[in-house]
Amino acid sequence: MINAGELRKNTKLMIEGEPYVMLEVQFVKPGKGVAFYKCKMRNLMTGSLLERTYRSGDTFEPAALEEKKMQYLYAQGDEYYFMDVKTYDQVMLTEEAVGDAKEYLIDNLEMDILFFENKAIGITLPNFVELEVTQADPWVKGDSVAGDSKPVTLQTGMVLQVPPFVEEGTIIQVDTRTGAYVTRVKK
Amino acid sequence: MAGLKQLQIRADLLFHIRRFFRSQGFLDVETPIRIPAPIPEAHIDAVPSLDWYLHTSPESCMKRLLSQGYEKIFQICRVFRAEELGARHLPEFTMLEWYRTDADYNQLMTDCENLLAFCLESMPDRAPLVYQGKRIDASPSWRRESVSDAFRKYAGMSAEEALETDRFDEVMAFEVEPSLGLDPVFLYDYPIKKAALARPKPEDPNLAERFELYIGGMEMANAFSELVDPVVQAERFKMEEEERVLAGKKPYPSNEKFLRALETMPPSAGIALGVDRLAMLFAGAADIAQISAFTPEEL
């Protein structure tokens, strides 16, 4: 059992028979009163958002989720295919289930695929992913108008702000949790 | 984690708080942090330390000093509360408490106004207070709103009705507190059931002489005209303990020495003020982590 006091971002729990992941937990405690946990959660099956307020003393069933190391294979329409690196079993996730993670999916990328009752329902990306810059405007030294960052396009189609010295063809590391540029990668 | 500037603001604030109380003739006291029996409060949980506890407030020891003849005392210390962690809570935080004999909660309201004015004068680059982009008018006298008026005004129900339906804390947290605004306001006269250590109001025994101070929409301080009747206090403790046990919590050892001290404690008033939250206000910080050297997650 999970106590309300143990709820944190990313805690996975069961609400009315469905698995949810905690997106935000706000601790609210008036004076000498009882503690409340204002929670924002996402349904891992449907992706829909749920807001609930719990109080200290409330308990929850942890979500029986399983994670398997898998490799990204390819996308076909709005279906994304992954392969178990040990058994070579393949599973499919819909575009909806993949969500924002699709911005980071490149061939052979290894990640954790989340299963609930033997059904693949989502992805836990590695914290850092390396992606190639496929389009970048050249940087003109001394161009103060350009500021300290510029937008570039990555191999997945993702557009993000990077320091002006990043050029086309460079491999960069991106933090998948924040979607921010981290560093250039020497290959 | 706080930056250099935030920790400087915090340090300055602590320095000026000390100056304020010393200039007013208060004695700066230190009482033990590790104690055998915390004050039993239904919704405050002490952290065990060996067979004793880390204090959740220096309250009981400071009141014992009052019973021994000290008249004006203050303390700035770390206190510990299990499971309290959020944008305005840390399980270990800095508490300022001060006590006055022969005084009631009205005197403490004046103290609060004077203390803030003193800190603002001493830190002129912090005045006027601007919190989350909004200017706070901290000039005295501060607004005073009774709990009963606030419940009717902001929640459209009486405090008694909220209590009977076990919704008092919920209504307070989600309807009353967010409606209080940014300027300082004293929310005063709590139902007696919500004030285990406060003296009943002479003209209405259903109410207790307790107030909470809000500034910048944050609860800053909690104050009482102290209950000094050991028999009534023992009954109140029993009720709080029963509530703790009902919630599945371990009862605390009884605090006989504290109850005995009440026998010789003069009429007094006491207040606890959260120094971290005051630092948040002075630093314009939205999260308590921004004015703390380290949070538990960083250790």
Side-chain angles (χ1 to χ4, degrees):
Chain A
M1 288 299 250
I2 303 168
N3 292 314
E6 294 166 332
L7 295 176
R8 300 280 182 272
K9 190 179 171 177
N10 290 328
T11 303
K12 296 177 181 82
L13 69 165
M14 298 298 290
I15 308 281
E16 288 148 18
E18 301 208 337
Y20 281 82
V21 61
M22 200 54 79
L23 302 179
E24 212 181 288
V25 187
Q26 209 188 329
F27 178 81
V28 183
K29 192 174 195 287
K32 289 169 176 286
V34 69
F36 296 98
Y37 302 86
K38 223 175 155 174
C39 299
K40 211 179 270 177
M41 296 164 276
R42 197 179 64 231
N43 186 314
L44 287 167
M45 305 287 288
T46 66
S48 63
L49 297 178
L50 179 69
E51 287 190 38
R52 289 268 173 94
T53 299
Y54 299 105
R55 50 163 79 197
S56 69
D58 288 347
T59 55
F60 309 88
E61 200 78 56
L65 296 166
E66 207 189 337
E67 277 190 343
K68 282 185 200 163
K69 260 275 172 279
M70 293 206 154
Q71 228 173 35
Y72 173 62
L73 293 179
Y74 60 92
Q76 198 168 41
D78 60 358
E79 296 178 343
Y80 289 72
Y81 290 87
F82 303 82
M83 183 181 70
D84 189 312
V85 291
K86 283 190 203 120
T87 64
Y88 305 114
D89 287 345
Q90 289 189 18
V91 296
M92 186 273 287
L93 280 175
T94 62
E95 185 163 7
E96 198 184 17
V98 171
D100 293 342
K102 74 177 176 205
E103 305 251 46
Y104 302 97
L105 293 180
I106 51 169
D107 292 353
N108 303 327
L109 181 71
E110 275 197 18
M111 73 210 80
D112 291 321
I113 299 289
L114 211 56
F115 287 80
F116 176 67
E117 292 175 347
N118 296 319
K119 187 179 179 288
I121 58 168
I123 293 177
T124 308
L125 287 172
N127 290 341
F128 301 102
V129 170
E130 292 175 1
L131 297 166
E132 188 184 341
V133 176
T134 51
Q135 191 278 317
D137 291 333
W139 178 42
V140 185
K141 258 204 167 90
D143 182 1
S144 60
V145 183
D148 51 8
S149 73
K150 65 175 185 186
V152 296
T153 308
L154 306 179
Q155 66 188 107
T156 57
M158 180 183 190
V159 176
L160 91 169
Q161 292 289 324
V162 300
F165 53 75
V166 173
E167 295 163 352
E168 217 164 277
T170 311
I171 311 280
I172 61 167
Q173 200 178 62
V174 182
D175 188 326
T176 61
R177 295 161 296 183
T178 58
Y181 166 88
V182 182
T183 183
R184 281 184 291 184
V185 182
K186 288 203 177 78
K187 283 279 166 170
Chain B
M1 190 190 281
L4 277 175
K5 191 172 141 240
Q6 282 76 19
L7 289 189
Q8 184 67 54
I9 292 169
R10 187 186 176 99
D12 290 347
L13 198 55
L14 282 167
F15 175 66
H16 298 305
I17 291 171
R18 278 218 154 78
R19 277 181 56 224
F20 172 78
F21 283 103
R22 296 202 53 153
S23 73
Q24 302 267 315
F26 280 77
L27 183 70
D28 189 347
V29 299
E30 286 188 296
T31 59
I33 281 175
R34 204 172 141 263
I35 54 173
I39 298 270
E41 289 187 273
H43 305 298
I44 296 178
D45 295 322
V47 177
S49 168
L50 296 177
D51 49 344
W52 285 10
Y53 295 89
L54 301 179
H55 67 176
T56 58
S57 137
E59 188 165 4
S60 61
C61 286
M62 289 183 79
K63 287 184 189 170
R64 282 174 69 183
L65 288 177
L66 297 181
S67 77
Q68 288 166 24
Y70 294 92
E71 291 173 349
K72 288 181 352 185
I73 52 175
F74 80 103
Q75 176 160 203
I76 300 172
C77 59
R78 299 293 272 184
V79 299
F80 303 82
R81 295 179 179 190
E83 304 244 337
E84 301 200 2
L85 181 62
R88 292 175 182 180
H89 293 82
L90 285 176
E92 173 180 349
F93 61 101
T94 302
M95 188 83 105
L96 158 68
E97 292 212 4
W98 73 94
Y99 290 83
R100 284 174 174 274
T101 56
D102 298 313
D104 67 10
Y105 68 159
N106 289 304
Q107 173 66 50
L108 296 177
M109 293 189 201
T110 309
D111 284 345
C112 289
E113 290 169 347
N114 292 340
L115 170 65
L116 192 70
F118 183 90
C119 291
L120 284 171
E121 270 164 39
S122 307
M123 300 165 75
D125 57 328
R126 296 282 115 203
L129 281 173
V130 176
Y131 189 64
Q132 303 298 293
K134 292 192 180 104
R135 192 175 156 161
I136 292 174
D137 178 8
S139 54
S141 302
W142 296 344
R143 192 155 59 90
R144 292 168 195 218
E145 197 148 28
S146 75
V147 169
S148 126
D149 285 348
F151 267 67
R152 269 198 295 272
K153 202 158 121 193
Y154 306 124
M157 71 167 78
S158 70
E160 293 73 32
E161 191 189 333
L163 263 180
E164 279 161 19
T165 52
D166 192 26
R167 289 192 59 213
F168 185 88
D169 293 335
E170 200 180 322
V171 172
M172 182 63 91
F174 298 113
E175 293 180 56
V176 176
E177 288 187 354
S179 309
L180 291 172
L182 292 181
D183 291 346
V185 51
F186 295 111
L187 196 61
Y188 71 97
D189 285 359
Y190 280 66
I192 197 91
K193 278 185 203 149
K194 287 285 160 190
L197 293 123
R199 176 173 86 186
K201 224 174 149 58
E203 55 272 42
D204 184 352
N206 292 317
L207 296 176
E209 292 190 347
R210 169 186 170 195
F211 76 77
E212 292 225 2
L213 166 63
Y214 288 83
I215 312 178
M218 284 187 285
E219 179 203 335
M220 284 285 156
N222 178 55
F224 307 132
S225 302
E226 302 294 345
L227 178 63
V228 293
D229 183 329
V231 178
V232 178
Q233 186 65 81
E235 281 167 19
R236 299 261 196 93
F237 279 177
K238 218 177 129 217
M239 279 164 52
E240 293 283 320
E241 279 291 9
E242 276 165 13
E243 206 172 324
R244 289 184 59 78
V245 173
L246 269 177
K249 296 173 184 172
K250 220 175 105 187
Y252 294 134
S254 69
N255 199 334
E256 290 306 323
K257 284 181 180 148
F258 170 68
L259 290 171
R260 261 209 306 285
L262 290 184
E263 288 165 14
T264 55
M265 185 171 142
S268 307
I271 176 165
L273 185 146
V275 172
D276 309 75
R277 296 213 187 134
L278 196 61
M280 285 171 72
L281 190 68
F282 274 76
D287 196 301
I288 197 164
Q290 290 170 259
I291 48 84
S292 304
F294 298 98
T295 60
E297 296 100 321
E298 290 163 342
L299 295 175

